[in-house]
């Protein structure tokens, strides 16, 4: 296999991490909606905490993205 | 590749300078940092020059930014965290304005440079260690060994806590960096779709679709810019206030 093809396949494999991030995001937002439905008066606190968790979770997806970009665009 | 999405992140030398053999040239990255600092200072100068009980337009925005950051510091660090407020407010403004300025066409986004974001994160990390050593003395090291765990687990806990502690500046910096870079690349790639669709004469009108998606992405990017500045500030606040507290265990 030549190096170019291996690079493309490697970049594709590196974004498998998005599988876990998808599960995590679904989990996070389902619990967020559930907790707001149970206690609507706590919505402001819950949303700000949820957004913080969202950003932390998203950073894992972006790490995978950075790895893919490093594989693709560096020699 | 005809349209290289990485071209927006190339650091160019604008004004070559050298001091005692050190390269202190003004690059487009540092030029935009100066611009952002000037912008923030000018905004505060103008906004507070004719301040009144009934705020004007700019004063309204500034008061909102101020009270927002103050609330963040209050909820995460409590009354003790008031000493952190000036630093965290400056950090928040620098990152938020840097992110937003980078969204303008042909502008350079200095938060998409790993050296800038990890540099800021390392400053937070080192100052959290120094503050912790001053505030808690040797009790600072108790955080690596939580109380109430069985004796044979202590070595594992120390290793794990130490690793998660040392990984903090890296994760803090890479989070901001990756968010900025990925957003810019996404916008670039979709703009490339528009260019290649417009090249096909029969369906060139379809190029409107990627352009519309790009507009929506820019709005999304604006949200991400503010959110990431917020997250960076909150996490720095948590790390620094942990060091200010008396040892918990």
């Amino acid at each position: 296999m030549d190096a170019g093809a291996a690079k493309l396949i490697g970049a594709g494999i590196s974004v498998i991490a998005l599988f876990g991030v998808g599960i995590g995001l679904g989990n996070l937002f389902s619990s967020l909606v559930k907790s707001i439905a149970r206690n609507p008066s706590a919505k402001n606190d819950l949303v700000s905490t949820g957004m913080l968790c969202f950003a932390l979770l998203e950073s894992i997806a972006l790490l995978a993205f950075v790895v893919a970009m490093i594989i693709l665009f560096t020699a | 590749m005809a349209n290289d999405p990485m071209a927006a992140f190339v650091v160019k030398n604008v004004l070559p300078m050298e001091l005692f053999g050190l390269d202190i040239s003004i690059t487009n990255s540092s030029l935009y940092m100066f611009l952002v600092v000037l912008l923030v200072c000018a905004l505060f100068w103008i906004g507070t020059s004719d301040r009144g009980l009934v705020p004007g337009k700019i004063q309204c925005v500034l008061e909102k930014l101020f009270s927002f950051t103050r609330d963040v510091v209050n909820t995460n660090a409590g009354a003790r965290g008031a000493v952190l407020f000036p630093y965290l407010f400056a950090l928040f403004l620098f990152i938020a304005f840097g992110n937003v300025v980078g969204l303008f066409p042909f502008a350079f986004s200095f938060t998409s440079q790993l050296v800038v974001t990890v540099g800021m994160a390392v400053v937070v990390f080192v100052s959290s260690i120094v503050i912790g050593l001053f505030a808690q003395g040797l009790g600072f090291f108790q955080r690596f060994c939580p109380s109430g765990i069985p004796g044979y687990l202590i070595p594992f806990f120390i290793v794990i806590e130490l690793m998660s502690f040392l990984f903090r500046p890296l994760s803090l910096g890479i989070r901001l960096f990756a968010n900025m870079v990925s957003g810019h690349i996404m916008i670039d790639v979709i703009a490339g779709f528009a260019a290649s669709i417009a090249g096909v004469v029969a369906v060139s009108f379809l190029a409107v679709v990627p352009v519309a998606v790009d507009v929506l992405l820019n709005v999304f990017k604006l949200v991400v810019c503010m959110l990431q500045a917020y997250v960076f500030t909150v996490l720095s606040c948590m790390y620094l206030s942990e060091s200010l507290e008396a040892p918990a265990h």
Side-chain angles (χ1 to χ4, degrees):
Chain A
M1 196 193 310
D2 70 305
K7 261 185 175 180
L8 294 179
I9 293 172
I13 291 172
S14 72
V15 289
I16 289 179
L18 297 188
F19 182 69
V21 174
I23 294 174
L25 279 178
N27 223 334
L28 166 66
F29 281 107
S30 85
S31 359
L32 186 62
V33 169
K34 267 183 221 159
S35 16
I36 291 176
R38 285 185 186 195
N39 186 1
S41 60
K43 188 182 172 186
N44 288 335
D45 283 354
L46 289 174
V47 167
S48 64
T49 314
M51 280 301 131
L52 182 62
C53 295
F54 164 74
L56 293 179
L57 198 52
E58 201 198 14
S59 71
I60 296 172
L62 293 167
L63 274 180
F65 174 80
V66 169
V67 171
M69 282 294 144
I70 288 171
I71 293 173
L72 279 181
F73 289 106
T74 51
Chain B
M1 196 174 289
N3 178 21
D4 185 9
M6 291 310 209
F9 308 115
V10 179
V11 176
K12 296 187 202 81
N13 212 338
V14 179
L15 186 66
M17 275 196 286
E18 204 169 299
L19 185 70
F20 306 127
L22 279 171
D23 190 11
I24 54 160
S25 317
I26 303 282
T27 59
N28 52 359
S29 177
S30 53
L31 189 66
Y32 271 93
M33 282 187 223
F34 286 130
L35 273 180
V36 163
V37 172
L38 271 180
L39 182 69
V40 172
C41 291
L43 261 181
F44 271 77
W45 187 270
I46 296 167
T48 55
S49 61
D50 56 342
R51 60 189 177 278
L53 198 59
V54 180
K57 282 176 197 156
I58 300 176
Q59 198 188 337
C60 255
V61 176
L62 298 182
E63 280 182 6
K64 192 68 202 160
L65 286 172
F66 187 93
S67 62
F68 176 73
T69 318
R70 192 194 52 205
D71 289 348
V72 166
V73 175
N74 268 341
T75 48
N76 287 298
R80 199 186 282 109
V83 284
L84 302 174
F85 176 75
Y87 174 59
L88 290 172
F89 190 44
L91 198 64
F92 175 73
L93 287 176
F94 186 63
I95 297 172
F97 276 79
N99 290 346
V100 173
V101 164
L103 277 184
F104 284 93
F106 303 109
F108 183 84
S109 169
F110 62 80
T111 43
S112 63
Q113 298 297 319
L114 193 56
V115 64
V116 176
T117 58
V118 173
M120 288 192 286
V122 165
V123 170
V124 170
F125 179 70
V126 171
S127 50
S128 84
I129 293 177
V130 172
I131 291 174
L133 284 177
F134 268 105
Q136 307 171 352
L138 288 177
F140 175 74
F141 295 104
Q142 268 184 7
R143 73 167 65 191
F144 300 121
C145 180
S147 59
I149 54 167
Y152 55 90
L153 278 179
I154 286 179
F156 296 103
F157 262 87
I158 289 178
V159 170
I160 291 170
E161 292 275 326
L162 201 62
M163 269 172 67
S164 75
F165 184 72
L166 293 178
F167 191 64
R168 273 174 180 184
L170 214 56
S171 74
L172 193 60
I174 287 179
R175 179 175 305 119
L176 179 60
F177 156 77
N179 269 290
M180 290 303 114
V181 170
S182 67
H184 279 95
I185 288 179
M186 209 146 55
I187 291 172
D188 262 14
V189 166
I190 290 176
F193 290 164
S196 47
I197 291 175
V200 184
V201 181
V203 291
S204 60
F205 63 93
L206 278 179
V208 171
V209 178
V211 172
V213 173
D214 243 7
V215 171
L216 288 179
L217 266 181
N218 263 307
V219 177
F220 176 68
K221 211 37 219 304
L222 195 61
V223 177
V224 169
C225 283
M226 298 312 285
L227 190 67
Q228 287 306 317
Y230 166 71
V231 167
F232 197 100
T233 316
V234 167
L235 288 176
S236 315
C237 183
M238 277 158 55
Y239 295 162
L240 289 171
S241 69
E242 245 175 43
S243 303
L244 275 178
E245 279 167 15
H249 315 297

